[in-house]
Amino acid sequence: MKEKNTIYTDFADEIITKETKNKAYKYTEKQNDYIKMHHISVLEDENELGKEKGEYITIECEDMGNHIARTHMAEAICESMMHMCEARNLNFQKILVIGLGNREIISDALGPYVASKLLVTAHLYENEDKAYLKGTRNVAVLSPGVMGQTGMESFSIVKSVTQMYQPDLIIAIDALATRNLNRINRVIQLNDTGIQPGSGVGNYRHALNEASLHVPVIAIGVATVSSVGAIVSDVLQDEKDAKNILKRLSKVKRMDMIVTPKSMDDALQYLTDMLSDGINHFLHPDFDNL
C-alpha cells in the first residue's frame, strides 16, 4: 500500500533517483535533434523502483506540435515495439489491440481515439481471400470503456475477448499520470510487462498482463494528466514546505485531484495521429496503403 503523501506516476524513468540502487536495473539514454529515449531494463522481481521485471522505454519530445518531431516519435514507437518482440522471440500473426479509457473525458480518451484509427483486418481474415491481405496481419481492436459506462472491469471484457479471439500478442493503450507537469502530452512509455488501469492516480484495477491473460502484452501510454500533489512538489523548491502542504492536502483528500492542460483537445489530435501511425506500421509493416 502506498503512503498517503505518495505522488503517483506511471513512468519508470521518473522513479529513478540517485538513491535507487542501479544493480536492480540497467539504464541507457539516447537522443537526436527531435526526441530523447530512456531505456530501463528492470532485472529483478524485487526492486526499489516498484516495477515489474521487464523492459520500459520512454520517448519524449520538446514540441509535439512539430510534424517532424511527431514523425520521429512514430518511428521510435514502431522500432521499440519491434525491439521488445524480437528480444522475446515472439512470433505473432494475430494481434488484439485494446484502447483503454473513457472516450467522454478528454484526458482519458486517448486509448479509444487511437483504437478507432487502426487498420482492423480480423473480419477480412475470416471471410476474404488471404491474397488480398498481403502485407497485413490479423488485427482486432477493442475499446472496453470504463466501469462507470459498462458496469464491468475492463479486465473482464478483455479476458473474454482474448479467450474468443486467441491472439498471439496484446497491445494495450492508455492515458498515464506523470509527476512532472512539463511532460504532459510530450512523453510516451512502452513496456512489455502490461498495465494496471488507474494505477498512476491511485485508482487500481485488475492488471492486464501476461500472467492474467496468458498472452504477451505490450503496454503503450502517454502522460495526459498529473495531480495537485505533483504541482505542489514541482512549484515549491523547499522540500520541507512541500511536505507540509502535501500533508495538509492528504488530510482533506485533495492531493490526488487530477489536472490536465487547457490545450488537451488539440494535443489529443496530435497524439492520436502520431500513435496510430506508429502502431499501424508495426502491425502491418509491409502494407503499402498506410
Side-chain angles (χ1 to χ4, degrees):
M1 180 67 68
K2 293 181 179 291
E3 296 178 4
K4 288 183 178 181
N5 292 349
T6 297
I7 298 172
Y8 297 103
T9 179
D10 287 308
F11 289 88
D13 67 322
E14 293 182 359
I15 302 172
I16 293 176
T17 67
K18 293 180 180 179
E19 289 73 34
T20 55
K21 296 179 180 179
N22 59 16
K23 71 176 183 180
Y25 63 88
K26 289 183 179 179
Y27 173 78
T28 58
E29 179 183 307
K30 63 180 181 179
Q31 66 181 94
N32 60 27
D33 292 338
Y34 297 97
I35 65 173
K36 179 187 291 187
M37 296 181 67
H38 310 269
H39 187 176
I40 299 172
S41 297
V42 177
L43 307 174
E44 301 175 358
D45 292 319
E46 297 294 328
N47 58 81
E48 294 190 23
L49 301 182
K51 291 292 184 181
E52 297 291 330
K53 181 180 178 180
E55 305 297 313
Y56 299 80
I57 298 175
T58 304
I59 313 165
E60 61 180 312
C61 72
E62 290 295 329
D63 182 11
M64 195 65 76
N66 184 316
H67 174 71
I68 299 177
R70 294 200 305 275
T71 299
H72 279 268
M73 292 282 280
E75 291 174 352
I77 290 167
C78 181
E79 291 171 2
S80 297
M81 296 173 76
M82 288 301 299
H83 166 77
M84 288 181 173
C85 291
E86 290 170 359
R88 299 185 58 182
N89 295 315
L90 297 182
N91 180 19
F92 55 95
Q93 292 303 318
K94 292 181 71 176
I95 303 103
L96 175 61
V97 184
I98 311 297
L100 296 167
N102 186 345
R103 182 183 291 272
E104 306 304 320
I105 299 176
I106 196 70
S107 61
D108 195 35
L110 183 69
Y113 272 51
V114 174
S116 70
K117 298 199 71 174
L118 298 180
L119 178 59
V120 178
T121 58
H123 58 305
L124 300 176
Y125 272 83
E126 287 290 329
N127 302 303
E128 299 291 336
D129 186 336
K130 302 299 187 295
Y132 292 108
L133 298 168
K134 184 178 180 181
T136 70
R137 290 194 179 100
N138 187 326
V139 175
V141 171
L142 173 67
S143 296
V146 294
M147 185 177 288
Q149 296 170 319
T150 65
M152 296 180 286
E153 279 211 35
S154 298
F155 171 78
S156 300
I157 300 172
V158 173
K159 186 174 182 179
S160 296
V161 174
T162 298
Q163 292 172 340
M164 178 273 296
Y165 180 58
Q166 296 187 336
D168 305 313
L169 175 68
I170 291 174
I171 299 171
I173 308 162
D174 201 5
L176 302 182
T178 175
R179 288 179 178 175
N180 188 333
L181 296 178
N182 293 325
R183 302 185 97 194
I184 291 181
N185 297 332
R186 290 180 44 244
V187 62
I188 296 165
Q189 178 176 264
L190 301 92
N191 71 55
D192 62 358
T193 64
I195 195 164
Q196 188 169 33
S199 63
V201 294
N203 183 23
Y204 295 90
R205 296 298 183 192
H206 203 299
L208 306 177
N209 55 33
E210 188 169 0
S212 63
L213 297 171
H214 309 293
V215 178
V217 177
I218 291 179
I220 305 174
V222 181
T224 62
V225 298
S226 191
S227 66
V228 170
I231 295 173
V232 171
S233 294
D234 200 34
V235 172
L236 293 180
Q237 300 299 316
D238 186 282
E239 184 177 349
K240 185 176 180 181
D241 287 345
K243 285 184 176 180
N244 287 335
I245 293 179
L246 290 174
K247 187 175 181 180
R248 294 177 189 174
L249 288 171
S250 67
K251 288 182 178 179
V252 294
K253 299 182 179 180
R254 291 292 183 269
M255 190 176 74
D256 297 331
M257 288 181 66
I258 302 304
V259 294
T260 197
K262 291 181 179 179
S263 59
M264 190 64 218
D265 294 74
D266 293 334
L268 182 62
Q269 189 59 57
Y270 286 141
L271 292 166
T272 298
D273 291 344
M274 180 264 297
L275 276 169
S276 60
D277 186 37
I279 295 171
N280 269 325
H281 279 88
F282 168 78
L283 294 172
H284 312 289
D286 301 316
F287 189 58
D288 296 330
N289 296 325
L290 291 174

